[in-house]
Amino acid sequence: MTLRIASFNIENLVARFDFTGFRNQLRSDRVLKLFEIRSEVDYQRLEAARVVAATDDTRQLSALAIADTDADILCLQEVDNMEALKAFEYGYLFRMVGSGYRQKYLVEGNDSRGIDVAVLMREETRHGERIEVQDVKSHAALTYHDLNLYTPALGPNLQPQDRIFKRDCLELDLLIGGRPLTVYVVHFKSMTNGRDGADGRASTMPVREAEVRAVRHIIENRFGRDHARERNFVICGDMNDYQERIDVIGDRRHGYEFAPRDGLASALDIFSQDGFVENVMRRRDVFDRWTLYHARGPEEQHLCQLDYIWLSAGLARANPKAVPDIIRNGQPFRTPFPPGQAVERYPRIGWDRPKASDHCPVAISLHLP
């Protein structure tokens, strides 16, 4: 019996319009900046038209990427609400995969924009094993004080009573053909730009470190510190951090060179440093582990892994040959691929948009002991 699980930051699966760009140019879409829009009413009409027109292509591409994961359980990030999830599953994903993901779980989290983590599941695996949900739990209400994780290094705007998770840690207890599996779905603090020239990744790392420690605490508290790593669990999601990356040198005109860098300080070291869980993406070639292309002009660009399916130590040992798949067909053409990795993009993929997402879905097939 095998179970296939996937994780995907679907990017802004929203059910509402954001009109704040009229008063805040930083939130205005670049296409609207080409036009002189004199009234807020006109801006709202144009923005609504732009979003509606762009969304259909984007969601078809998102659904294609998800269909290619061929997953029994799908962990998503950046979902607005349950209604948006239902509309996407029925209107787009169902048309791609036929039999739908009828089991849907989402709990409103802490993100100020309203984007949440969610889980879609089939009723049975592809092999006919029943997928049963025993319990669903949100940990969004946990504070730094609750777990004794407050430190001034978190930044001047955070206090002990503030919530740890920037979105949530959604915990699902499942039975797959009668065998237990616990799934944790997360979306950690983003690597926002640092102020006054500070490095955004470094300045936000203490927040992610607290989130990682909180997830580990939840798991060890649940199963016991001495036994947790031997239980069947996975940690899925966009973790907005990496332990290695591939520096991209060059440009479209002159060509690219790719230089791997390993051993980078990361909040994720808290997961991996003592073998608590395994990042099985490292079973792939060093040039072929990335799930996102980051660029701020030719002087700063790299490929890195932000999207993870961590396996408990016991589950990793039970699946010594399991290697994740990365679906890159929905990447925009601006993403440079290392040699030998070229894929056929989905129809209508653009240079920058439309696209399935800046993130690549990750999927893996597992045997549950």
Side-chain angles (χ1 to χ4, degrees):
M1 184 274 291
T2 58
L3 167 76
R4 191 158 173 87
I5 187 168
S7 183
F8 184 33
N9 183 329
I10 198 170
E11 282 194 334
N12 298 316
L13 180 57
V14 297
R16 53 197 156 80
F17 298 111
D18 180 2
F19 298 130
T20 58
F22 181 74
R23 300 184 183 279
N24 182 353
Q25 287 293 302
L26 294 177
R27 298 181 67 91
S28 179
D29 187 81
R30 65 193 183 206
V31 71
L32 294 187
K33 292 180 180 179
L34 296 173
F35 300 93
E36 184 178 357
I37 305 171
R38 296 183 179 276
S39 76
E40 190 163 2
V41 171
D42 285 345
Y43 179 88
Q44 291 177 355
R45 290 171 178 167
L46 289 168
E47 173 64 6
R50 181 195 70 80
V51 171
V52 170
T55 295
D56 185 56
D57 276 347
T58 298
R59 293 312 162 204
Q60 288 194 61
L61 297 170
S62 299
L64 274 169
I66 290 172
D68 280 348
T69 68
D70 197 23
D72 303 311
I73 299 174
L74 177 65
C75 304
L76 294 176
Q77 301 87 52
E78 296 202 16
V79 178
D80 196 350
N81 53 42
M82 182 59 78
E83 292 308 310
L85 186 62
K86 289 179 179 178
F88 170 70
E89 188 275 328
Y90 181 74
Y92 291 86
L93 193 52
F94 179 79
R95 294 174 181 271
M96 298 292 179
V97 300
S99 57
Y101 289 86
R102 296 188 177 182
Q103 303 189 72
K104 304 175 181 67
Y105 300 91
L106 180 151
V107 177
E108 296 291 334
N110 299 324
D111 190 278
S112 59
R113 295 172 294 166
I115 56 173
D116 301 302
V117 299
V119 178
L120 293 176
M121 296 189 295
R122 301 183 188 276
E123 295 180 315
E124 293 182 342
T125 70
R126 73 189 70 192
H127 301 290
E129 300 283 352
R130 188 179 177 191
I131 303 175
E132 302 175 74
V133 178
Q134 301 297 295
D135 193 21
V136 178
K137 183 184 297 183
S138 167
H139 295 282
L142 278 177
T143 69
Y144 296 111
H145 173 76
D146 291 335
L147 300 186
N148 195 29
L149 289 176
Y150 178 77
T151 169
L154 292 166
N157 297 321
L158 292 177
Q159 302 299 321
Q161 67 272 19
D162 289 332
R163 295 181 174 187
I164 298 171
F165 294 111
K166 301 306 108 179
R167 284 90 183 184
D168 194 3
C169 174
L170 190 62
E171 178 180 2
L172 291 90
D173 281 329
L174 310 176
L175 287 178
I176 315 296
R179 300 179 185 183
L181 175 69
T182 303
V183 178
Y184 297 91
V185 190
V186 298
H187 184 187
F188 290 157
K189 169 68 176 175
S190 61
M191 294 181 282
T192 53
N193 292 332
R195 296 182 179 179
D196 301 322
D199 178 76
R201 178 170 177 264
S203 62
T204 56
M205 192 174 296
V207 178
R208 285 189 299 279
E209 288 177 342
E211 290 180 298
V212 177
R213 292 186 191 280
V215 173
R216 182 158 179 171
H217 170 90
I218 289 167
I219 296 171
E220 291 180 336
N221 188 60
R222 165 76 188 281
F223 297 118
R225 178 170 295 183
D226 296 333
H227 307 288
R229 66 186 65 203
E230 301 304 320
R231 303 296 291 267
N232 286 348
F233 70 82
V234 296
I235 310 169
C236 302
D238 173 5
M239 306 201 177
N240 272 313
D241 211 339
Y242 51 84
Q243 297 170 306
E244 60 180 358
R245 74 186 193 203
I246 300 174
D247 288 339
V248 180
I249 305 162
D251 55 35
R252 179 172 173 240
R253 179 181 178 186
H254 299 95
Y256 296 100
E257 296 180 10
F258 301 89
R261 293 181 60 192
D262 200 356
L264 303 176
S266 172
L268 303 177
D269 296 342
I270 298 164
F271 277 157
S272 63
Q273 60 193 1
D274 59 352
F276 178 66
V277 289
E278 181 180 337
N279 175 19
V280 286
M281 191 75 84
R282 286 191 171 244
R283 298 176 181 181
R284 297 175 66 101
D285 183 79
V286 66
F287 287 96
D288 199 19
R289 301 168 183 167
W290 61 273
T291 65
L292 180 133
Y293 168 59
H294 167 85
R296 297 192 185 281
E299 70 283 350
E300 182 185 346
Q301 50 183 341
H302 61 258
L303 300 165
C304 61
Q305 181 191 1
L306 295 189
D307 307 275
Y308 294 78
I309 302 176
W310 294 86
L311 305 186
S312 69
L315 196 54
R317 281 199 310 275
N319 292 270
K321 297 183 179 180
V323 178
D325 296 314
I326 307 172
I327 292 81
R328 299 190 176 117
N329 309 70
Q331 283 286 291
F333 281 96
R334 73 183 184 93
T335 301
F337 285 22
Q341 293 183 22
V343 296
E344 182 179 357
R345 259 76 162 197
Y346 298 132
R348 295 180 66 83
I349 287 286
W351 174 253
D352 181 53
R353 61 185 186 191
K355 61 194 173 190
S357 170
D358 274 342
H359 297 254
C360 300
V362 175
I364 191 168
S365 297
L366 299 173
H367 166 74
L368 298 183

